[in-house]
C-alpha cells in the first residue's frame, strides 16, 4: 500500500520506491508535517515536529496547549494566514466580515485506488487504478465554515506524489480565495541549493543554481503564461548534489498561467516551499455552494542526483501526463516552412516544398503563419481564420490534396488566443480583446489578446478552427501564443470577479484545447509560444510536443535543450534542423535529434549535396528514434559546467543500445578527452558501430572512451552508437 494511516499515532505515511512522506493529525486537529525524504520504515516519528520555541513571540494555540507547540515554528502541512503561523501562507480566504484570518484543521479523510482528474484543469492520470493511490483530507475553518480538501496521489513506482486542493463553500455567505497554493512542504534546515529555469525569448530555460538564504526566494510569472522567463519548476538539492549523487526534491506545477514558487528560510533555519497560482492579481469569489480546484503540483524525491530526478520526471510525464494517439506512437518527420519563407509563400511554393520533402523522405509538411485573412506580415488578420485565396489559389483543400497525393501528411498553424487590430473580427467585435476601460491597450507584435474568459468569444474562434479542421485532411496543428497578457479585465464580469480573469483565461484555453483534442483525436498538437514560452506540464496534457525555442542555432540550442531536459522528456521537445548560420548540417542534425525531430528551411535553397546529406539524416532519424524517444537520458557534460563541449547519452531500457552525442561549442585548448559513459551493463560487451571497436560496459563507464582524436573544432560534433553483442 502506498498510503497508510496509523490510527494509534494518527500518522499518514505516503511511500514510493524512492521516498517517504509523513504527516499527521496533531493536538487540536492541526495537520503537522513530519518528514519528506528517502524511504524510512518507522511510524513513530513524533519527535520530528519539535523546533526551537520562544514563548514571547511565538503564539500558543489555545486548542493545542502542549509545551513547545506553536503554529509559528511547527512544520505545518498546509499553512494558513493570520492564526499564528507567520511564515509563508499556502492558503488564505477573505471572509464575509472582510478579514483574512484562516485556520484549517483536520475533519476526516479517505483513501482510494487510482486518481480523479481535476475539473477543467490538466492533471496527471493513471492508466490503471493500481498505478496510484489517492488520499483526500477534508479540513475546515471552524469560524467561517470554509472547507478545503487536500488531495495527494502517490505514484509508488514513479517516486512521485501529486497534490492539489479543492475548496468548497458550504456556508450561506460568499468569501474570496486570496491565496491558494497547490502544495506546501516544510523541510528542516536550509542546506540546499535551489534550481530554477530562467530565460527569455530565444534563450529559454537556462539553469540557475544558488544556495538558499534566510528570507524568501521566489520564481514567478505574472505574464498570463508560464513564460520564457521562468518555468514553473524548481528543485531543492543538497549542496553537493551532482547529476549522479545527492538529495533532490523536484517540484513542477501543472499550470500554464501566473504561477508562484516561494521558499522561505525562517529564523530557525527551517525551509518552507509553497507553489501554486501566483496570488498577485488573483482573487476568486466563491459563492455558497460553489467549489474551486487549485492546479496540480508534482513532487519527486530521489537521493540519486539531479540526473535521476530528471529521468523520474521523464518517465512520469511520458506515462501519466502526455495522452492520446501520439503518446507513444512514432511522430511523423516534418518540415515547417516558417524559417524558410516567413509569410511569403503561395500554393506553388508549398507544393515545391512537398516535392523536395517527399524526395528526402520527410513525412509531413507544416504550413506555418500567413495562410489566412490578408496576412503578409505580423500586422494583420489574427482571428480571421479563413483561407487567404490570393496565396492558396486552389484553396486549402486543393493544396492538401496535392501534398497528400505525394504521400505526405499536412499540418497547419493557428494562434487562437490572439486578434490583430487590423482584422475583420476585430472590426466587428472591438470589445473581444482583453482591455481595461479608460486605459490604452498595450500592443505587442501588433496584436491583442482575445478574452478567453468569455465563453461566446472562444466558442466563436473555435467554430472557425473547427470548420478548417473538419473540412480538410489535417494531421497536425501548431498552436501558437505570441505575446503576454496586459490590461487583464473582463468586460462581462462584475467588479468583484475581476481578480479571476487570469485564471479564467487559462481555463478557457484549456477548454478549447480539450475540445480540439476530443473532436480531432488523430491530430498531433504541437504547442508553441514564440518558441518555448509555454513549455509546461499543463500544455503537455494536451500536446505531446512543444516547440522548444525559436532559436534553432544548434550551439545556442544546447543550453535550451539541456535546461528543458531538467524535467521534460526528449519526446516533448520540438527540435528542427534549420538553415541557421552557425555550424554544419551534421551538427544541426545531431542537436535536433535530441527532441521531436524535423526541418525548418527552404529546400529550394539546398544544394544537391545538402539534399543528399539530409536523405542520410532521415535514415539516422529512423534508426535512432526508439533509443531517443523511449530510452533514458544521461547528461554527461552540460553547458552549465563546461564552456567548451557538451555530451549526452540515451540508453535503451534493456541497456543493449546507447547513443552518445558530443558537441564542441568552442575548440578547447587542451585536447585530451576521455568520456565516461553511464548506465551501461558492466558485464556486456558493446560494439561501437562506426569503428567496430569492442569494449565492456565496465570499461566504457570506468576508463571511458578516449575521444582525444575526434574532431574538436568550433561547432564540430559526432555521434557514437553502441550495440551490445
Ligand atoms: C512564433 C513561433 C514561430 C512561428 C512564428 C509565426 O514566433 O514560435 O515558430 O510559428 O510565431 O508567426
Amino acid at each position: 500500500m502506498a498510503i497508510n494511516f496509523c490510527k494509534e499515532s494518527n500518522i499518514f505515511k505516503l511511500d514510493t520506491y524512492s521516498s517517504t512522506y509523513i504527516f499527521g493529525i496533531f493536538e487540536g486537529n492541526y495537520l503537522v508535517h513530519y518528514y519528506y525524504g528517502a524511504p524510512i520504515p518507522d511510524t513513530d516519528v513524533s519527535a520530528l515536529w519539535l523546533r526551537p520555541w520562544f514563548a514571547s513571540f511565538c503564539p500558543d494555540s489555545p486548542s493545542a496547549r502542549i509545551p513547545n507547540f506553536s503554529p509559528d515554528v511547527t512544520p505545518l502541512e498546509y499553512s494558513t494566514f493570520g492564526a499564528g503561523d507567520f511564515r509563508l501562507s499556502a492558503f488564505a480566504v477573505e471572509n464575509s466580515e472582510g478579514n483574512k484570518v484562516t485556520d484549517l484543521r483536520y475533519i476526516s479523510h479517505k483513501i482510494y485506488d487510482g486518481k480523479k482528474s481535476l475539473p477543467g484543469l490538466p492533471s496527471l492520470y493513471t492508466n490503471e487504478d493500481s498505478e496510484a493511490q489517492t488520499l483526500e483530507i477534508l479540513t475546515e475553518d471552524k469560524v467561517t465554515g470554509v472547507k478545503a480538501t487536500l488531495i495527494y496521489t502517490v505514484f509508488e513506482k514513479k517516486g512521485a506524489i501529486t497534490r492539489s486542493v479543492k475548496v468548497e463553500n458550504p456556508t450561506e455567505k460568499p468569501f474570496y480565495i486570496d491565496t491558494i497554493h497547490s502544495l506546501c512542504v516544510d523541510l528542516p534546515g536550509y542546506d540546499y541549493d535551489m534550481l530554477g529555469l530562467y530565460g527569455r525569448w530565444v534563450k529559454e530555460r537556462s539553469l540557475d543554481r544558488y544556495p538558499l538564504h534566510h528570507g524568501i526566494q521566489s520564481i514567478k510569472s505574472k505574464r498570463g503564461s508560464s513564460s520564457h522567463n521562468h518555468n514553473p519548476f524548481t528543485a531543492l538539492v543538497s549542496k553537493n548534489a551532482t547529476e549522479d549523487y545527492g538529495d533532490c526534491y523536484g517540484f513542477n506545477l501543472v499550470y500554464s498561467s501566473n504561477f508562484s514558487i516561494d521558499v522561505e528560510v525562517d529564523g530557525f533555519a527551517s525551509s518552507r516551499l509553497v507553489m501554486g497560482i501566483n496570488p498577485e492579481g488573483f482573487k476568486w469569489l466563491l459563492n455558497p455552494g460553489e467549489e474551486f480546484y487549485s492546479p496540480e503540483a508534482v513532487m519527486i524525491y530521489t537521493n540519486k542526483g539531479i540526473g535521476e530526478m530528471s529521468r523520474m520526471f521523464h518517465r512520469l510525464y511520458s506515462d501519466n501526463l502526455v495522452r492520446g494517439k501520439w503518446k507513444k506512437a512514432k511522430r511523423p518527420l516534418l518540415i515547417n516552412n516558417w524559417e524558410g519563407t516567413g509569410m511569403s509563400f503561395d500554393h506553388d511554393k508549398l507544393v515545391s516544398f512537398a516535392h523536395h520533402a517527399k524526395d528526402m523522405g520527410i513525412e509531413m509538411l507544416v504550413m506555418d503563419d500567413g495562410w489566412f485573412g490578408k496576412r503578409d506580415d505580423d500586422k494583420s488578420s489574427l482571428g480571421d481564420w479563413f483561407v487567404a485565396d490570393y496565396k492558396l489559389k486552389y484553396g486549402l483543400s486543393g493544396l492538401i490534396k496535392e501534398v497528400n497525393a505525394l504521400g505526405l501528411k499536412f499540418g497547419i498553424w493557428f494562434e487562437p488566443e490572439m486578434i490583430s487590430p487590423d482584422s475583420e473580427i476585430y472590426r466587428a467585435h472591438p470589445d473581444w480583446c482583453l482591455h481595461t476601460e479608460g486605459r490604452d491597450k498595450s500592443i505587442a507584435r501588433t496584436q491583442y489578446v482575445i478574452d478567453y474568459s468569455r465563453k461566446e468569444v472562444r466558442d466563436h474562434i473555435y467554430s472557425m478552427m473547427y470548420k478548417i479542421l473538419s473540412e480538410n485532411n489535417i494531421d497536425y496543428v501548431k498552436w501558437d501564443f505570441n505575446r503576454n497578457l496586459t490590461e487583464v479585465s473582463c468586460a462581462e464580469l462584475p467588479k468583484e470577479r475581476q481578480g479571476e480573469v487570469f485564471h479564467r483565461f487559462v481555463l478557457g484555453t484549456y477548454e478549447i484545447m480539450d475540445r480540439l483534442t476530443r473532436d480531432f483525436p488523430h491530430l498531433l498538437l504541437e504547442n508553441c509560444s514564440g518558441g518555448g514560452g509555454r513549455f509546461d506540464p499543463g500544455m503537455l496534457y494536451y500536446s505531446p510536443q512543444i516547440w522548444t525555442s525559436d532559436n534553432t542555432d544548434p550551439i545556442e540550442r544546447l543550453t535550451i535543450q539541456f535546461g528543458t531536459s531538467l524535467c521534460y522528456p526528449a519526446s516533448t521537445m520540438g527540435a528542427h534542423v534549420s538553415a541557421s548560420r552557425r555550424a554544419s548540417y551534421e551538427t544541426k542534425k545531431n542537436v535536433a535529434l535530441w527532441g521531436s525531430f524535423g526541418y525548418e528551411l527552404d529546400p529550394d535553397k539546398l544544394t544537391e549535396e545538402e539534399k543528399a546529406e539530409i536523405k542520410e539524416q532521415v535514415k539516422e532519424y529512423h534508426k535512432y528514434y526508439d533509443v531517443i524517444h523511449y530510452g533514458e537520458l544521461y547528461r554527461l557534460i552540460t553547458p552549465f559546467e563546461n564552456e567548451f563541449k557538451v555530451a549526452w547519452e540515451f540508453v535503451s531500457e534493456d541497456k543493449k543500445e546507447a547513443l552518445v552525442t558530443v558537441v564542441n561549442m568552442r575548440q578547447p585548448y587542451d585536447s585530451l578527452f576521455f568520456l565516461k559513459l553511464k548506465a551501461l551493463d558492466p558485464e556486456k560487451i558493446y560494439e561501437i558501430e562506426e569503428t567496430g571497436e569492442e569494449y565492456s560496459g565496465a570499461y566504457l563507464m570506468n576508463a571511458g572512451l578516449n575521444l582525444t582524436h575526434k574532431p574538436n573544432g568550433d561547432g564540430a560534433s559526432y555521434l557514437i552508437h553502441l550495440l551490445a553483442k
Side-chain angles (χ1 to χ4, degrees):
M1 292 275 278
I3 301 175
N4 285 289
F5 176 64
C6 173
K7 278 200 182 111
E8 294 69 45
S9 55
N10 273 337
I11 289 284
F12 296 98
K13 192 161 178 287
L14 282 52
D15 286 302
T16 78
Y17 81 92
S18 68
S19 61
T20 294
Y21 184 96
I22 305 178
F23 63 100
I25 312 160
F26 199 75
E27 206 81 12
N29 283 352
Y30 279 100
L31 285 170
V32 167
H33 180 81
Y34 291 103
Y35 176 74
Y36 186 30
I40 54 174
D42 313 57
T43 46
D44 183 4
V45 292
S46 50
L48 288 171
W49 67 268
L50 279 165
R51 296 285 189 274
W53 175 72
F54 299 101
S56 305
F57 287 90
C58 296
D60 264 351
S61 164
S63 48
R65 280 190 181 282
I66 59 168
N68 293 332
F69 177 86
S70 164
D72 187 20
V73 291
T74 306
L76 294 176
E77 186 57 21
Y78 193 62
S79 59
T80 55
F81 178 82
D85 184 350
F86 297 105
R87 296 160 295 175
L88 287 168
S89 306
F91 186 66
V93 298
E94 182 183 316
N95 62 37
S96 52
E97 273 68 56
N99 72 68
K100 288 192 194 169
V101 181
T102 311
D103 192 356
L104 295 175
R105 308 286 180 94
Y106 170 88
I107 299 285
S108 63
H109 72 269
K110 58 181 178 193
I111 297 171
Y112 53 88
D113 289 342
K115 180 179 192 298
K116 293 180 191 161
S117 55
L118 301 178
L121 283 162
S123 58
L124 279 83
Y125 63 89
T126 53
N127 300 285
E128 323 228 322
D129 277 355
S130 58
E131 265 180 291
Q133 271 199 317
T134 298
L135 165 66
E136 292 188 9
I137 308 253
L138 179 64
T139 66
E140 185 191 30
D141 180 319
K142 277 256 155 37
V143 175
T144 58
V146 172
K147 286 201 159 68
T149 305
L150 314 182
I151 307 168
Y152 302 75
T153 297
V154 183
F155 289 84
E156 189 177 359
K157 296 207 168 92
K158 295 284 176 16
I161 299 173
T162 61
R163 292 174 62 172
S164 59
V165 179
K166 171 184 166 186
V167 186
E168 292 163 278
N169 184 353
T171 74
E172 305 287 303
K173 296 174 181 169
F175 61 82
Y176 288 104
I177 304 171
D178 247 33
T179 302
I180 176 162
H181 284 294
S182 305
L183 66 73
C184 172
V185 174
D186 280 0
L187 296 171
Y190 71 113
D191 205 10
Y192 299 103
D193 282 345
M194 186 169 180
L195 307 187
L197 297 172
Y198 74 97
R200 57 181 161 79
W201 177 64
V202 297
K203 190 120 189 76
E204 298 90 337
R205 290 175 295 286
S206 278
L207 180 64
D208 224 348
R209 177 172 182 160
Y210 41 88
L212 287 186
H213 58 79
H214 285 96
I216 296 171
Q217 35 258 286
S218 307
I219 301 173
K220 292 175 195 250
S221 166
K222 51 181 177 178
R223 290 174 169 267
S225 75
S226 47
S227 88
H228 300 85
N229 307 63
H230 302 287
N231 200 262
F233 160 82
T234 193
L236 298 181
V237 304
S238 50
K239 293 229 164 106
N240 57 358
T242 64
E243 284 290 312
D244 305 304
Y245 173 83
D247 286 329
C248 298
Y249 298 87
F251 303 95
N252 199 197
L253 191 67
V254 188
Y255 194 52
S256 314
S257 186
N258 298 353
F259 72 87
S260 158
I261 304 168
D262 291 301
V263 181
E264 177 173 5
V265 180
D266 65 23
F268 300 115
S270 270
S271 306
R272 167 172 294 169
L273 183 146
V274 294
M275 176 187 232
I277 295 176
N278 190 339
E280 194 176 351
F282 173 84
K283 194 168 180 162
W284 191 278
L285 177 67
L286 207 67
N287 277 322
E290 288 180 347
E291 56 185 37
F292 180 91
Y293 282 82
S294 81
E296 187 161 275
V298 182
M299 323 194 286
I300 274 183
Y301 171 82
T302 175
N303 57 10
K304 296 196 163 41
I306 299 166
E308 182 57 16
M309 176 196 72
S310 296
R311 289 183 289 278
M312 290 166 77
F313 273 116
H314 298 171
R315 288 176 211 131
L316 182 71
Y317 288 173
S318 301
D319 291 345
N320 303 98
L321 178 63
V322 169
R323 302 174 301 159
K325 175 178 173 186
W326 298 102
K327 173 177 170 171
K328 295 276 159 110
K330 190 167 177 185
R331 318 255 171 91
L333 171 55
L334 66 84
I335 185 163
N336 177 305
N337 72 307
W338 175 246
E339 285 198 28
T341 65
M343 296 180 207
S344 311
F345 61 83
D346 58 14
H347 174 95
D348 293 340
K349 182 72 187 170
L350 293 178
V351 169
S352 165
F353 256 75
H355 276 283
H356 287 298
K358 160 85 182 159
D359 189 38
M360 295 186 289
I362 294 169
E363 298 159 331
M364 180 160 75
L365 173 68
V366 175
M367 177 176 67
D368 210 279
D369 192 356
W371 59 267
F372 51 91
K374 295 199 182 79
R375 181 90 163 162
D376 296 318
D377 55 32
D378 63 13
K379 294 184 176 45
S380 83
S381 302
L382 292 171
D384 291 346
W385 300 114
F386 45 82
V387 176
D389 291 331
Y390 70 101
K391 288 190 183 180
L392 303 184
K393 58 186 174 191
Y394 305 118
L396 193 52
S397 57
L399 172 65
I400 296 176
K401 217 182 257 167
E402 276 196 59
V403 172
N404 286 167
L406 291 165
L408 261 67
K409 294 179 188 299
F410 185 84
I412 196 167
W413 180 96
F414 283 99
E415 197 175 355
E417 296 143 287
M418 297 294 162
I419 189 164
S420 303
D422 180 9
S423 64
E424 289 185 17
I425 188 171
Y426 185 78
R427 281 185 281 277
H429 303 284
D431 66 319
W432 276 11
C433 68
L434 286 173
H435 63 281
T436 304
E437 264 331 294
R439 289 192 186 279
D440 287 343
K441 293 188 263 248
S442 304
I443 194 145
R445 213 195 187 210
T446 347
Q447 62 198 54
Y448 298 137
V449 183
I450 293 179
D451 185 351
Y452 256 48
S453 72
R454 291 172 63 177
K455 182 158 171 41
E456 80 282 14
V457 178
R458 54 180 197 265
D459 280 354
H460 183 90
I461 300 293
Y462 184 65
S463 68
M464 287 189 278
M465 290 177 76
Y466 185 89
K467 188 167 161 46
I468 297 276
L469 294 171
S470 57
E471 290 176 358
N472 293 286
N473 188 23
I474 294 175
D475 289 292
Y476 163 109
V477 163
K478 179 172 168 187
W479 179 310
D480 215 334
F481 179 82
N482 275 315
R483 62 160 289 180
N484 291 134
L485 278 51
T486 56
E487 292 82 36
V488 177
S489 319
C490 174
E492 295 239 303
L493 286 173
K495 68 175 190 304
E496 62 276 16
R497 288 205 178 271
Q498 294 298 326
E500 302 175 10
V501 184
F502 273 111
H503 186 62
R504 284 180 183 272
F505 180 95
V506 77
L507 293 180
T509 300
Y510 289 150
E511 187 213 76
I512 297 301
M513 287 191 183
D514 192 54
R515 284 169 72 181
L516 180 70
T517 49
R518 276 175 205 278
D519 289 346
F520 304 99
H522 70 284
L523 265 190
L524 173 57
L525 182 60
E526 176 153 0
N527 254 287
C528 174
S529 170
R534 248 188 347 194
F535 207 121
D536 60 62
M539 287 291 141
L540 287 178
Y541 183 70
Y542 303 98
S543 62
Q545 61 194 52
I546 299 178
W547 182 225
T548 313
S549 177
D550 276 347
N551 195 334
T552 53
D553 177 296
I555 304 300
E556 294 286 320
R557 264 285 179 134
L558 292 169
T559 49
I560 298 169
Q561 293 183 182
F562 267 91
T564 304
S565 77
L566 253 286
C567 71
Y568 306 107
S571 63
T572 64
M573 302 197 293
H576 298 170
V577 171
S578 74
S580 65
R581 302 153 317 281
R582 258 199 299 178
S584 59
Y585 274 99
E586 172 74 4
T587 292
K588 290 169 187 169
K589 174 262 304 177
N590 287 342
V591 174
L593 273 178
W594 186 336
S596 272
F597 188 76
Y599 289 88
E600 180 114 5
L601 43 77
D602 182 350
D604 282 332
K605 295 187 180 144
L606 292 171
T607 63
E608 285 309 313
E609 291 74 47
E610 286 168 341
K611 272 199 258 171
E613 191 178 350
I614 289 179
K615 274 188 197 173
E616 291 306 309
Q617 295 188 348
V618 168
K619 288 186 198 151
E620 286 185 77
Y621 156 80
H622 289 295
K623 180 170 164 186
Y624 301 134
Y625 189 94
D626 285 2
V627 74
I628 293 168
H629 279 247
Y630 312 125
E632 303 242 290
L633 170 73
Y634 290 81
R635 293 178 291 253
L636 303 179
I637 308 173
T638 86
F640 309 115
E641 290 151 356
N642 189 313
E643 58 182 303
F644 295 106
K645 63 170 85 239
V646 297
W648 64 96
E649 176 189 357
F650 283 99
V651 183
S652 64
E653 210 184 328
D654 60 11
K655 296 185 184 293
K656 288 187 176 157
E657 184 182 7
L659 181 69
V660 177
T661 310
V662 178
V663 182
N664 268 351
M665 297 178 290
R666 293 201 285 136
Q667 179 155 6
Y669 295 112
D670 66 19
S671 50
L672 190 63
F673 180 31
F674 282 68
L675 184 66
K676 293 183 181 176
L677 307 190
K678 291 182 184 169
L680 301 176
D681 181 340
E683 311 275 314
K684 282 194 167 74
I685 299 295
Y686 292 85
E687 180 179 321
I688 299 181
E689 202 187 22
E690 297 73 19
T691 60
E693 291 163 88
E694 291 181 9
Y695 300 107
S696 68
Y699 171 100
L700 292 163
M701 292 191 289
N702 298 322
L705 277 169
N706 184 351
L707 301 174
T708 305
H709 295 288
K710 284 284 198 180
N712 74 346
D714 285 358
S717 71
Y718 47 92
L719 300 177
I720 300 163
H721 188 215
L722 299 114
L723 291 168
K725 305 236 352 157

